Amino acid sequence: MKNRFIKKPNKQKKKRQVIPLRLNILFFVIFILFSALILRLGVVQIVQGETYKRQLEETDDVSVTKNVPRGVIYDRNYNLLVGNSAVKSITYARSEKTPPSEMISVAKKLDKLITVTPDTKLTERDLQDYWILTHEKESLARLTKAEQNLDGAKAYKKQVENVTKADLDSLSDEDKRIATIYKKMTAGYALSQVAIKSKDVTDEEIAKVSENLESLPGVDTTTDWNRFYTYDETLRSILGSVSTEKQGIPSDKVDYYLAQGYSRNDRVGRSYLEAQYESVLAGQKSKSNSVLDSNGNIVETVEKYEGSKGKDLVLSVDVELQKKIEEILKDNMRIGKASGGSDLFDRAFAVAMDPYTGQVLALAGQKINDKGEYEDYSLGNFTTAYNMGSAVKGATVLAGIMSDAITENTVFVDQPIVFKGTRPKSSWFNRNGERSLSLNPVGALEISSNSYMYQTAMKMAGAKYVYNGPFRASPETFDKMRYYYNQFGLGVKTGIDLPGEQVGFKGDDKTVGKILDFAIGQYDSYTPLQLAQYGATIANGGYRIQPTMLKEIRDPSTNGDTVGKVATEQEPKVLNQIGVPSSAIKEVQEGFYAVTHGGNGTGKGYFGDLPVSVAGKTGTAQAFYDGPKKESAMAPVWNTTFVGYAPAEKPEISIAVVVPWGYRDNGSSDPKVNMKISAQIFKAYYDLKEERAKAGKDTSKVDQPINNKAAAAAAQTKLND
C-alpha cells in the first residue's frame, strides 16, 4: 500500500494587510491642501510681502469720542432743577480724508431713509457748492484750458463763478434736502459726531438707518439730550446755559478745552453754574479706536471705553424758599412803583444764607424790563454794586475798635458836625442839634447815629474836631478804612463759586471830608452778596465764611427715583476771623438787636409776628442814579437796605436786602420796601420750616428720593411738545 502525503497550509504565514482606497484618497487631499497653503504663504511672504507691509504702515489708528449725558442739578432738598431730556439722533462723523463725493452719496441715501425739511438758511454759496458736486463733469467743462491749469482753490473759484441762476433754479426740493444734509455733514470737525437730525426722529427712521449702516459710512444712530428746567425762570440766570452743537466750545476758551480732550463742536457749559462745574457735569466721553486705511476709510472700530455720565450737583439753594422770595420781591416792587418818585426804581435783590456754613439758601433778584415785565436778575446780586447806607455801620464800629480809635464803651454825643466852608453833617434825628444824645456803640446802632460814625472815622484819621474849623486828615485814611471793611467782605470778592463776581466801586473823590461819608455807607459801593457776607460775619461771631452755591456732588442716579450716592460734600471755608475780642462782636450784635427791638430802633415794628427774634441793621443811602435810563443819569435817588439774621441768639438764617433807586430825592416819602421784603422773607423761611416739620420731611435718608418727580416730568414733557 502506497503512502499518500497531504500538504497542509502554513499557519505561521502572515496575511497581507490591505489599505482601504478611501483612506489613500483622504491622505492625498490633505497633502494637496497643505501644499496649497504653503504655496500661498510663500506668495504672501515673498511676492506680496512688501505690498502688505506698505499698506499696514499706511493705516492710521485714531480715537473717536462720543458725548455722554451731563449730570443733573438738584436743590438742597433734592428737587430736580435741571434735567436731561433724551432725544433720538442720527449723527455723522467724517474722517480727515473723506471726499465730498462720498459725503454727497451718503446724503442721497439718507434722504431716502429720513424726513428732512430743506434748510431755509441755505445760502447761495451752499447751493453753488452742491450743484458743482453733483454736476462735476459739466462744471469742469465750463472752464477754459487756462482756468483748468490754475491751482485748486483758484480753479474752484472759477467753477463757482460759472454756476448760473438757471442752474440753481433747476435744483429740486429733493436736491435742497440733500444739500441740507450735506451742509450738516460738513459742519462738524473730522472724527467728531454732528447731528444730521435730532428733532422729531421717529422709531421707523432709526430702524431704517440702523439696517443700512453698512452702506452709510460715518452715519450712526444714537441718543442725544436737551436740558430742561423744572421751574422755568426761577434761578435761570444763575443755573447758566449749555452750548449747542453748532456753537461748540467758546471761542475764547478753545485752547483750554482742546487741551482737556474736547472737540470743537462739543456741548459745554457756557455760563454760571453750568460753566463753573463743567468738569463735574460733563462726565467722561466714550472712546473707540477706528483704523483708517490710506484712503481714509474705516477698516475697523473697537470700543475702548463706554464713557460715564456726568456727576450730579446738589445746590445749597432751597428752591421753594427761592420761589417765595422772588414773589415777595415782585409784590413789594409793585408797592414801590405805586409810590411817588419811583420812576427810576426797576430792581430789588435778596440773599439768604446759612451764616455758619456759607451755604446760599436763596439768591433772588428781580428786574423790570423795557416792556414792564419782571425778569430774573439773580446774577445782579454779585455783578452789580450800590451804596448801602447805614447797614454797614456795624463794620464802622468794629473798624474803630480794631484800629484802637474807640473801645466797646466809647461814648460820643450825637451832634451836627460842622467844618469851615461846608454844610453841616448830622444824624437824621438831630438836624439842628435839638436832640443831642450821649451814645455808646449799641445806642448808636439802634438809632442809626451818623454823628457817632463821623466821630469814629475822625478818630481813625487822627483828626481833632473843632467846630467850624478845618478838617485835616491823610487821604491814606481811605485805604485804612477799606482794609478793615475788607475783613467783612465789603469791597472784596466774597469767593462765591460763580464766575463774573464784581468787587464794587471805590469812591473817586479824594476830598478828605468824604471819609465821613464812607463811615455811613455813602461813598464806596458794594454788591448785595458782599452785604450778605458782612451780615453773616456779624451773625456767626466774627468769621467771614466763603459763600457757596454747592452743597454736595453725587454720583448719577441709577434708577431715576432716588438720587445717587454722595461723592463729595462741601465743607465750610473760613476766609478770615475779625481781629477783635468776642465781646466787641457781641456789642455790635446787641446793637443789631436793639435796631429791631429797642424803643428807638429804626427797624422796630416789622418783625413782631415772627416765632423768633430778629436782629439786624437798616440802611438808607443818598445816591446818584446810574441805571439804564441815560437821560436821568446822576439824578439824586435813595437806596434802601437791610441786613439781619434770626434767631438773634443762635442764627440759622442771615439775609441781605437791597432796593436801589427806590425813590427820587425830591421830597418823595420812603415806602419802606426794604423792611417789608425783609420781614416777609423771614416769615416765608419759618413758615416753610413749620410745614416741613408737620409733614415729617426727611432729607437725610440713604436712598434719598427725588422729591419733585411729577413737576420734573411735566417740564420734560413741555420741552418735548
Side-chain angles (χ1 to χ4, degrees), residues 52 133 186 190 197 255 376 404 429 435 439 494 551 568 604 616 634 640 661 715 719:
Y52 282 116
L133 286 170
T186 59
K197 185 176 182 180
D255 293 339
D376 176 51
D404 295 324
F429 58 86
R435 197 178 176 196
L439 302 170
T494 66
K551 182 174 180 280
T568 305
K604 69 174 182 176
M634 299 307 290
T640 58
W661 320 322
L719 174 70

Side-chain angles (χ1 to χ4, degrees), residues 316-471:
S316 60
V317 172
D318 182 333
V319 71
E320 291 182 83
L321 179 62
Q322 174 80 23
K323 286 173 65 66
K324 285 181 178 293
I325 292 177
E326 288 176 353
E327 290 305 313
I328 288 169
L329 292 179
K330 292 177 187 177
D331 290 344
N332 285 281
M333 288 174 72
R334 293 185 187 101
I335 293 173
K337 290 297 289 182
S339 302
S342 62
D343 57 305
L344 301 178
F345 174 36
D346 70 347
R347 62 195 63 191
F349 305 96
V351 182
M353 58 192 297
D354 182 327
Y356 290 96
T357 65
Q359 291 183 4
V360 176
L361 305 177
L363 192 70
Q366 289 292 310
K367 182 169 66 172
I368 303 172
N369 60 27
D370 294 338
K371 298 179 181 178
E373 302 167 334
Y374 289 91
E375 60 183 39
D376 176 51
Y377 197 36
S378 300
L379 60 84
N381 279 291
F382 58 92
T383 61
T384 62
Y386 311 93
N387 294 130
M388 297 300 181
S390 299
V392 305
K393 286 178 178 176
T396 302
V397 169
L398 288 172
I401 294 173
M402 283 189 281
S403 64
D404 295 324
I406 63 173
T407 70
E408 300 166 27
N409 302 311
T410 296
V411 174
F412 290 130
V413 174
D414 187 288
Q415 57 183 315
I417 304 298
V418 181
F419 291 109
K420 187 175 182 179
T422 65
R423 296 175 59 186
K425 301 177 74 68
S426 67
S427 300
W428 62 276
F429 58 86
N430 194 21
R431 298 297 185 194
N432 299 311
E434 69 278 6
R435 197 178 176 196
S436 298
L437 305 174
S438 295
L439 302 170
N440 62 9
V442 173
L445 290 170
E446 174 186 357
I447 203 168
S448 199
S449 169
N450 288 346
S451 181
Y452 192 98
M453 306 306 153
Y454 296 152
Q455 294 178 66
T456 298
M458 286 189 284
K459 289 285 187 181
M460 292 178 68
K464 184 176 181 180
Y465 173 61
V466 176
Y467 179 83
N468 207 30
F471 179 40

